Amino acid sequence: MKRFLAPVVGLALICGFMSALSPGVAQAAAGPCIGAPAADGTTYTETRQFVDSQAWWVPDTDQANNSTTNHGHVHMGACIPERETISSGNLTVHVRVVLHDNPGKANYVSMVFKTSDTETTVQKCYLRATAANFSCPGPSSTGKGDFVCTGTCERWLTFSRPISSFNHSGTQEVRFRGFVPEPGGNEMRANLNWQVNIQNGASASNVSRYPFLRGKGWYTNAQYCEASVRAVPLPDGPVSGIWTPVVGLSTHPDGSLPTTHSFVSIDPDFHAVPTNAGTVLWDAAGPHGPDPFGAAPISIDTRTLTNGVHKLHLRTSCRDNKLGSTNSGVTVIPFTVAN
């Protein structure tokens, strides 16, 4: 169960959003991961949700659509113990990587532990064409990964590191970074940042720089475009009535291209033919929300949804006029409805 909220230092505009669960959100016991793909049937000690981060390099409607401007998507998702307490053993996470209409040769995914004063890559797992799923392969003979795909393909990686690798206890951050070199020398990256409560006996020091769940798309020149969830923690149990999570759809604040579009939907399927946009809640130019980071509540009337698990899709797009396409960062979170 979630037992804490991280303090936010120096982010006064965000503080009001870092709240506990809103009315109508219940807590649930540990067990299977909420929203997990069938391949990950693990029963976890703590509550976990399958959160998917996606990077898109796809042209806008008025940009040329060709082999340079359209590199499809890379998805990187995992059952994460977001804001849960881990007090012994290893932090073990199964990561799914999906290439969709992506011409690149996927390289590797890294797991990074971020504390208040260090940022350490603790493990790399390479994406290999012939490696077994739920392993952590090393590089090929070239020193890199060699996973390529026609259409849609997936690979599962397993990361596991002792919690003693964190040099502090308290609210710590875990980052997954997936690297896909693309034809022509550019690169696409998917990034997933999330927080966990580590109790390993080390000195207490909470991470405080942007301590909220966020998925980030990165592309050469465009840099970061991100979609985040500010109303932490994620709901462990069912929501009902009007659920109003706070979300942020904005550019990364460190020199990346500005946000040109933001989009929020429930249960879309962009791989369907024809594309299914789902129940669209927001579709507008610019960021979502009035603050510098684009954060604002989004109202979801769960009474219009069937009971069961649904997916909230958050997408931020940052147009790149220099390279002639659009970089997008996507975060997809599951939630359970029970009315």
Side-chain angles (χ1 to χ4, degrees):
M1 306 296 288
K2 273 101 176 168
R3 297 183 176 89
F4 75 102
L5 290 174
V8 181
V9 178
L11 295 177
L13 289 172
I14 298 176
C15 286
F17 299 141
M18 305 296 287
S19 59
L21 297 176
S22 58
V25 178
Q27 298 290 298
C33 175
I34 299 169
D40 188 356
T42 307
T43 298
Y44 292 99
T45 302
E46 62 287 317
T47 302
R48 298 196 182 198
Q49 293 94 349
F50 186 83
V51 176
D52 199 34
S53 170
Q54 303 172 18
W56 295 18
W57 182 249
V58 178
D60 206 344
T61 54
D62 63 339
Q63 293 176 310
N65 189 343
N66 55 51
S67 61
T68 299
T69 62
N70 193 338
H71 287 165
H73 312 162
V74 56
H75 299 218
M76 187 176 63
C79 287
I80 60 172
E82 190 262 350
R83 301 265 162 181
E84 300 291 338
T85 297
I86 310 292
S87 57
S88 63
N90 284 10
L91 176 60
T92 299
V93 183
H94 305 305
V95 174
R96 183 186 70 169
V97 177
V98 175
L99 297 183
H100 175 70
D101 290 343
N102 191 315
K105 181 182 291 186
N107 191 0
Y108 67 89
V109 176
S110 63
M111 181 164 71
V112 177
F113 287 174
K114 177 74 170 67
T115 69
S116 59
D117 52 16
T118 63
E119 181 176 317
T120 306
T121 298
V122 296
Q123 192 171 6
K124 286 184 179 180
C125 297
Y126 285 81
L127 289 153
R128 302 295 308 279
T130 59
N133 280 326
F134 299 100
S135 62
C136 183
S140 69
S141 59
T142 66
K144 299 179 179 180
D146 58 7
F147 176 43
V148 294
C149 173
T150 299
T152 301
C153 313
E154 73 175 29
R155 284 290 184 274
W156 285 86
L157 305 171
T158 295
F159 292 83
S160 188
R161 298 299 297 170
I163 64 170
S164 59
S165 299
F166 290 96
N167 68 325
H168 292 295
S169 63
T171 308
Q172 311 303 322
E173 185 165 277
V174 180
R175 299 178 174 182
F176 288 109
R177 296 169 176 159
F179 298 81
V180 183
E182 301 290 351
N186 292 330
E187 186 170 62
M188 182 187 293
R189 302 175 189 169
N191 304 262
L192 177 60
N193 296 10
W194 50 280
Q195 294 73 44
V196 62
N197 183 21
I198 295 295
Q199 296 299 321
N200 61 3
S203 59
S205 182
N206 295 329
V207 68
S208 59
R209 185 178 184 271
Y210 311 138
F212 42 81
L213 173 66
R214 51 197 177 128
K216 300 182 289 183
W218 188 98
Y219 197 86
T220 301
N221 186 66
Q223 299 186 56
Y224 291 105
C225 203
E226 70 175 57
S228 60
V229 181
R230 309 295 178 82
V232 297
L234 295 179
D236 279 349
V239 297
S240 60
I242 305 297
W243 179 44
T244 313
V246 176
V247 300
L249 288 83
S250 64
T251 188
H252 194 274
D254 295 339
S256 299
L257 293 178
T259 301
T260 50
H261 204 93
S262 49
F263 178 88
V264 181
S265 179
I266 297 173
D267 296 332
D269 184 356
F270 296 102
H271 297 173
V273 180
T275 294
N276 175 11
T279 302
V280 177
L281 304 177
W282 176 270
D283 187 4
H288 173 261
D291 80 2
F293 298 91
I298 193 83
S299 182
I300 301 171
D301 187 350
T302 68
R303 295 165 297 187
T304 66
L305 303 173
T306 59
N307 286 341
V309 177
H310 295 270
K311 293 182 179 179
L312 179 62
H313 172 105
L314 312 170
R315 183 168 83 247
T316 307
S317 297
C318 302
R319 182 184 175 102
D320 186 340
N321 291 323
K322 179 181 178 180
L323 296 184
S325 192
T326 299
N327 176 38
S328 297
V330 176
T331 301
V332 181
I333 63 169
F335 64 98
T336 304
V337 170
N339 283 301

